[in-house]
Amino acid sequence: HSPANKVCHSFGDSVEILGKSYPTDHFTNATPTIVSKIGRNLHNKEHHPLHLIYKRIESFFHKSYLRRGNPIFSAYSNLSPVVTHEQNFDSLLVPQNHVSRLPSDTYYINSEYMLRAHTSAHQRDLVRSGLDAFIVAGDVYRRDAIDATHYPVFHQMEGVRLFSDFELFNKVSDLSGVSLFEDGRRDNTRQETHSLETSKLVEHDLKVCLEALMRCLFGEDLNMRWVDAYFPFTHPSWELEIYHQEEWVEMLGCGVMEQKLLDSAGATNKVGWAFGLGLERLAMKLFSIPDIRLFWSTDSGFLHQFEGKDFNDSIIYKPVSKYPQCVNDISFWIPEEFSPNDFYDLVRSVGGDLVEQVSLVDEFLHPKKKRMSHCYRIVYRHMEKTLTQEEVNEVHQEIENLSAQNLGVEVR
Ligand code: FA5
Ligand code: MG
């Protein structure tokens, strides 16, 4: 059990989020820096690139899926990112010992509440409320490394579609003896309660939908591939990768929804698919945005390039010239219980968006002292001006001081 709360969360007895007060306790490891991002709602800001992508996807679902002229997918983009551990994990059948529950990976508010780590946290409740088809966009929070493509807050979009037996089988001509459910064994192709036809038809509908979505975003001659994956709440499961600028990039995870989840939500006579995709990943590829920190920029150099744009306009971001980097290393002896994510959070709290990247560049075990030393390289870069060495030194010194104070490390 990693002592995540060693990173002095520095809230008092309670923390105020979106007008509600939450008592802090031994679980609390969210930091003020992280909590200050809640409510920014970049995905709902007119002309913000994340909003443009969200609108493109929403419009795809609204125009592709109609019932008697009305969209069948309902869209949600204002659900609170504060959820219970139960919503984020248990409702999705995430095992008690799954790594994603570790405080080194997740931001907890207290022993009941946390910041959602994925938009899947809303699946069960929205199905329970009676919906058959919905999309959800929102900010999600994960403790993670720091570099040009990782930020502790990013945005996801979830999609869910359920089918009754009539809805699933109405396109098949020979229906004799086909039913949604049957008793069997779980294997690579299906869950124990699904017929093979169910599993294959749901898979087909899901893949056709997501391939069409990607073509709608990236154009007709897009290169894609399906990769087998595992999620506790879908089976079978896949990831979709697209080929872009000479590399394969994972865009989303998806699968056939676990029947146990649907049963717990009261949808016992339906089957369905679900997917979750990353809006930053899509936006960075679509608009050629080179650094994930830029989404949080309030500088006109960035936002200006999207102003007055409609979600269907094609946009290529032109980098505001990159200012020089400043590289500083920090080495310290680590205590017995230490997680690099504790250090990353501290760096993020002190250095904010001046920090472009942090990487573990060296670790070694002192043969006599039996102590472990870590060396981290911190790359500083301001997105809108040149940093002076003094400005960097001040931040770096503060990182050293607080690491010694809060993480129990001994700076070398
Ligand atoms: C999930 O979060 C699952 N909830 C997805 C899912 C939903 C599966 C419904 C099945 C059914 P994953 O952690 O792989 O899975 O994240 C999904 C997508 O979010 C990724 O494909 C990627 O596009 C994006 N993503 C994940 N981590 C990051 C990150 N650190 N920075 C930016 N985007 C990320
Ligand atoms: Mg993944």
Side-chain angles (χ1 to χ4, degrees):
H1 203 78
S2 156
N5 43 350
K6 259 197 202 155
V7 186
C8 212
H9 58 69
S10 75
F11 295 119
D13 291 341
S14 67
V15 47
E16 172 111 353
I17 303 176
L18 300 174
K20 242 193 107 184
S21 176
Y22 299 86
T24 53
D25 59 28
H26 64 286
F27 248 95
T28 310
N29 69 347
T31 64
T33 312
I34 292 301
V35 168
S36 75
K37 308 286 187 214
I38 303 173
R40 284 282 296 274
N41 291 330
L42 300 180
H43 59 291
N44 289 333
K45 291 264 170 321
E46 222 189 339
H47 305 310
H48 192 282
L50 295 175
H51 180 70
L52 297 176
I53 303 272
Y54 164 54
K55 282 291 162 189
R56 262 191 213 184
I57 299 174
E58 185 192 62
S59 117
F60 168 85
F61 278 97
H62 282 172
K63 68 176 194 287
S64 314
Y65 295 93
L66 295 163
R67 189 187 287 131
R68 285 175 241 107
N70 295 312
I72 71 168
F73 279 84
S74 333
Y76 295 82
S77 65
N78 274 312
L79 301 175
S80 171
V82 178
V83 299
T84 60
H85 306 194
E86 197 274 337
Q87 288 173 302
N88 194 82
F89 296 124
D90 304 65
S91 79
L92 292 158
L93 316 168
V94 176
Q96 210 57 45
N97 60 358
H98 196 267
V99 287
S100 61
R101 291 187 188 248
L102 288 176
S104 58
D105 286 48
T106 292
Y107 287 110
Y108 289 103
I109 295 170
N110 59 30
S111 46
E112 185 179 0
Y113 291 99
M114 59 179 284
L115 300 178
R116 67 183 162 210
H118 52 183
T119 44
S120 303
H122 303 290
Q123 277 188 18
R124 192 261 328 262
D125 295 342
L126 290 173
V127 171
R128 192 182 268 167
S129 76
L131 296 171
D132 272 351
F134 55 85
I135 50 179
V136 180
D139 37 331
V140 303
Y141 298 76
R142 295 185 194 176
R143 302 188 74 204
D144 211 336
I146 300 176
D147 63 34
T149 59
H150 290 86
Y151 201 80
V153 191
F154 60 98
H155 296 75
Q156 282 189 337
M157 186 140 170
E158 194 85 3
V160 164
R161 185 180 190 191
L162 305 187
F163 304 88
S164 64
D165 58 354
F166 171 75
E167 287 161 335
L168 191 63
F169 296 137
N170 75 12
K171 294 181 206 108
V172 185
S173 49
D174 177 19
L175 273 176
S176 50
V178 178
S179 61
L180 280 183
F181 302 107
E182 69 182 45
D183 281 337
R185 276 221 331 267
R186 174 175 292 243
D187 61 25
N188 289 340
T189 64
R190 60 175 163 148
Q191 297 171 32
E192 51 276 32
T193 59
H194 287 167
S195 65
L196 187 58
E197 291 82 357
T198 294
S199 203
K200 286 294 172 195
L201 285 170
V202 173
E203 171 182 347
H204 179 74
D205 192 84
L206 169 64
K207 288 182 170 175
V208 166
C209 168
L210 292 173
E211 287 177 15
L213 171 63
M214 287 299 143
R215 286 206 184 88
C216 161
L217 294 173
F218 288 94
E220 283 306 316
D221 42 43
L222 177 68
N223 212 345
M224 296 179 259
R225 71 180 181 196
W226 289 100
V227 179
D228 287 336
Y230 167 81
F231 299 100
F233 35 95
T234 50
H235 183 78
S237 307
W238 303 274
E239 283 168 352
L240 180 57
E241 297 184 345
I242 68 164
Y243 195 69
H244 193 261
Q245 286 161 356
E246 282 152 47
E247 56 173 0
W248 288 101
V249 190
E250 175 201 322
M251 285 295 163
L252 59 88
C254 65
V256 179
M257 292 174 82
E258 281 288 348
Q259 204 57 40
K260 212 174 144 193
L261 191 163
L262 290 175
D263 289 350
S264 76
T268 47
N269 54 357
K270 296 195 172 151
V271 296
W273 53 243
F275 71 83
L277 58 79
L279 290 178
E280 277 83 352
R281 291 266 171 95
L282 287 176
M284 289 176 85
K285 294 294 167 202
L286 260 180
F287 303 141
S288 305
I289 296 172
D291 190 314
I292 198 166
R293 293 176 302 165
L294 282 163
F295 292 106
W296 298 89
S297 171
T298 50
D299 177 70
S300 61
F302 178 73
L303 293 175
H304 191 70
Q305 301 195 26
F306 301 92
E307 251 153 51
K309 296 292 186 187
D310 180 71
F311 64 82
N312 278 322
D313 295 343
S314 93
I315 306 164
I316 301 283
Y317 175 72
K318 289 171 220 65
V320 197
S321 72
K322 272 238 180 187
Y323 294 91
Q325 306 179 320
C326 251
V327 181
N328 278 25
D329 288 353
I330 174 171
S331 298
F332 45 65
W333 300 109
I334 62 166
E336 242 169 67
E337 286 194 273
F338 177 84
S339 146
N341 280 346
D342 292 345
F343 180 65
Y344 299 147
D345 259 333
L346 188 143
V347 172
R348 189 73 84 185
S349 295
V350 179
D353 288 350
L354 292 184
V355 178
E356 179 173 270
Q357 193 171 343
V358 183
S359 44
L360 181 58
V361 287
D362 189 33
E363 63 188 312
F364 86 97
L365 185 67
H366 193 284
K368 290 215 187 81
K369 294 188 185 152
K370 295 272 181 298
R371 286 180 85 186
M372 187 69 126
S373 166
H374 279 186
C375 176
Y376 291 89
R377 176 151 303 157
I378 306 181
V379 178
Y380 298 89
R381 183 176 358 220
H382 199 288
M383 284 180 291
E384 285 114 31
K385 64 166 195 173
T386 301
L387 284 173
T388 65
Q389 190 62 51
E390 289 91 77
E391 286 173 300
V392 170
N393 288 351
E394 205 173 299
V395 175
H396 198 75
Q397 187 61 51
E398 183 72 358
I399 289 174
E400 287 196 358
N401 296 347
L402 285 177
S403 301
Q405 246 177 59
N406 297 344
L407 302 179
V409 306
E410 195 185 314
V411 179
R412 301 175 54 200

